[in-house]
Amino acid sequence: MMTTLSGRSVLLIIGGGIAAYKSLELIRLLKQRQAKVTAIMTKAAEQFVTQLSVASLTAEKVYTDLFSLTDEVEMGHIELSRSADLLVVAPASADLMAKMAQGLANDLASTTLLATDKKILIAPAMNVRMWQHKATMRNLSVLKADGVRVIGPNDGEMACGEYGPGRMAEPVEILAAIEAHFAGSALPLAGGAATTRALTGRKVLITAGPTHEPIDPVRYIANRSSGKQGYALAEAAVALGAETVLVSGPVNLPIPPGAQMMPVETAAEMLKVVEAELPADIAIFAAAVADWRVASTADQKIKKGSGGLPDLKLAENPDILKTVAGAAKAKRPKLVVGFAAETENVIANAKAKLAKKGCDLIVANDVSAEKGVMGGDRNTVHLVSASGVESWPELDKSEVARRLMEDFARRLGAKS
Ligand code: CTP
């Protein structure tokens, strides 16, 4: 049976990190789908998994050394980097990402990454603090600007005992991103030509989920957004061939295969990541951003009993939608879409919001309790723009997303 990966050649670069054991499972999944997998291991990777396990699973020679004479005779690093259809770095450690961003080439992995002319997909994995460090975030922006695709990291409990973003995406998620790459790539697939879809070559930026605004190290202000509509939109954007970036607050949903996930916690972080991702062709603001944050968060857990109730002073959060809609022309996406969750006067409130935010379109929905939209699977939306109001019947959130994305692609086409 042919699969999307039949006959494809993947060069897997295994970086150092406890997540390296998951790369073995990734190899197994790729082989099962008939891909050819060749692996390079960094010195640090060899501390976590052995060459023997990698070689047994790939059924290929494993490359580790830049200066190995026999390897250079068999296949040089330039050849190694170019004979593959796709390079996958999993786990991508902070060190490897820094090397890639700087163009360093002092071992086989980094040299191969610098010498390649193929697309690169990285699956970062590291400690939460290392991931959130300004240097890593800077390197991540550089890599994305260079066209490197990123999957994960996921939120969760880390091997070091801390909690937060830093866990490598699961092997099935990386596999899905690899499949999406080949399904959407312009490379002719055996037996059929690649198709161009409505958003091929376009970048779609989506915010989703709630934001968490910390009070102290253990408490935060949040809301009930499930993130479902935003995630469904990301899935629909990938399906239409868009480069899809999903900037998401903390939710309990799997990363849509093929989307680039940028996990954030607060409104301020969300704004920063969104701005770093501009320019984009379409920006969709489906996140339920907290309107307020605690003006000064406590460094230590606030204890009760000492001096009465805590005096929580709030400060207003930046309006991300309004900021992007009002950005200078070079940065403003051609189509800026906001969402309005209303419990009464849905259309009138959405019209007011369209003017207030300066966006091109508001997708309004009735979230009054009897409709069961919040956290539910169905939604009734109204599209409010300068040219009028269009009301849709009640549909599944995924169907709403599919139709919305097709509508956005048409509006974008009409604008450009
Ligand atoms: N939004 C945003 N940044 C904020 C607040 C909202 O980007 N700080 C975006 C949301 O993602 C959504 C739209 O703005 O697309 C919703 O606007 P908002 O005025 O927050 O809606 P409601 O919360 O429904 O507003 P209100 O409380 O005024 O009814």
Side-chain angles (χ1 to χ4, degrees):
M1 199 187 59
M2 291 280 287
T3 80
T4 322
L5 299 183
S6 297
R8 300 295 194 171
S9 167
V10 174
L11 178 61
L12 176 66
I13 296 178
I14 307 177
I18 185 70
Y21 78 91
K22 289 196 204 168
S23 306
L24 300 179
E25 172 66 5
L26 176 62
I27 297 171
R28 206 183 58 75
L29 293 171
L30 287 167
K31 295 289 287 182
Q32 227 173 34
R33 282 157 185 77
Q34 300 163 17
K36 175 175 190 275
V37 187
T38 313
I40 290 179
M41 294 174 70
T42 64
K43 282 269 168 303
E46 291 190 71
Q47 301 293 321
F48 297 93
V49 287
T50 67
Q51 276 192 48
L52 183 62
S53 3
V54 176
S56 321
L57 286 165
T58 57
E60 299 279 340
K61 179 175 167 51
V62 176
Y63 297 83
T64 53
D65 195 356
L66 182 56
F67 298 110
S68 155
L69 261 184
T70 42
D71 289 359
E72 287 293 327
V73 170
E74 284 172 17
M75 192 193 274
H77 58 273
I78 305 285
E79 171 60 12
L80 194 56
S81 70
R82 303 215 173 144
S83 61
D85 296 316
L86 176 72
L87 271 63
V88 177
V89 187
S93 60
D95 178 67
L96 208 42
M97 283 176 65
K99 278 185 185 165
M100 288 174 72
Q102 291 300 315
L104 290 184
N106 58 0
D107 60 8
L108 183 59
S110 52
T111 307
T112 308
L113 285 161
L114 195 61
T116 192
D117 55 357
K118 297 296 167 15
K119 270 269 178 205
I120 304 173
L121 171 74
I122 65 170
M126 63 197 75
N127 164 274
V128 185
R129 309 271 163 238
M130 290 170 78
W131 173 251
Q132 289 172 337
H133 195 284
K134 282 198 183 96
T136 305
M137 287 295 120
R138 203 161 50 230
N139 292 333
L140 179 69
S141 312
V142 170
L143 292 174
K144 292 181 108 182
D146 289 348
V148 171
R149 307 207 65 158
V150 185
I151 173 130
N154 292 349
D155 267 14
E157 179 126 21
M158 317 267 311
C160 53
E162 285 185 75
Y163 190 92
R167 278 173 69 92
M168 187 168 87
E170 292 304 318
V172 283
E173 293 171 324
I174 304 175
L175 174 74
I178 295 172
E179 284 178 326
H181 166 81
F182 284 120
S185 84
L187 296 168
L189 289 170
T195 52
T196 313
R197 287 166 286 166
L199 290 174
T200 300
R202 303 293 202 162
K203 178 169 177 178
V204 176
L205 178 60
I206 301 169
T207 68
T211 62
H212 284 184
E213 309 295 333
I215 297 170
D216 65 17
V218 295
R219 305 179 178 96
Y220 56 83
I221 300 175
N223 61 62
R224 293 188 194 282
S225 166
S226 67
K228 278 183 191 165
Q229 190 66 79
Y231 275 57
L233 282 162
E235 224 167 88
V238 171
L240 290 185
E243 176 194 347
T244 307
V245 178
L246 180 60
V247 185
S248 173
V251 295
N252 238 327
L253 297 171
I255 299 173
Q260 292 180 41
M261 171 74 167
M262 300 293 287
V264 297
E265 209 174 303
T266 64
E269 278 168 22
M270 190 174 269
L271 174 63
K272 207 167 136 199
V273 173
V274 163
E275 286 188 316
E277 287 294 339
L278 296 177
D281 295 290
I282 303 178
I284 305 162
F285 296 86
V289 183
D291 290 316
W292 308 283
R293 66 178 181 279
V294 175
S296 51
T297 52
D299 291 339
Q300 303 297 332
K301 184 179 169 190
I302 304 170
K303 304 294 281 181
K304 55 178 184 296
S306 52
L309 295 174
D311 182 19
L312 292 184
K313 286 214 169 40
L314 300 179
E316 196 162 319
N317 268 332
D319 191 317
I320 306 169
L321 168 59
K322 198 171 167 186
T323 308
V324 173
K329 202 160 177 263
K331 282 251 163 148
R332 189 192 192 277
K334 281 207 192 71
L335 187 67
V336 178
V337 182
F339 273 71
E342 307 292 345
T343 54
E344 55 180 1
N345 305 327
V346 178
I347 307 287
N349 282 335
K351 281 184 178 162
K353 217 160 263 182
L354 183 75
K356 193 175 84 183
K357 305 267 184 175
C359 54
D360 303 303
L361 183 70
I362 287 277
V363 179
N365 53 8
D366 187 343
V367 293
S368 51
E370 63 269 23
K371 299 273 185 204
V373 169
M374 282 291 216
D377 290 323
R378 293 178 75 78
N379 204 355
T380 310
V381 302
H382 311 271
L383 274 60
V384 181
S385 71
S387 56
V389 181
E390 203 183 303
S391 295
W392 291 3
E394 187 187 297
L395 297 163
D396 246 40
K397 281 186 180 172
S398 57
E399 181 61 15
V400 170
R402 211 178 54 72
R403 292 194 193 190
L404 281 178
M405 203 53 73
E406 277 169 7
D407 180 280
F408 299 164
R410 274 197 298 279
R411 284 175 200 261
L412 183 69
K415 280 193 155 204
S416 38

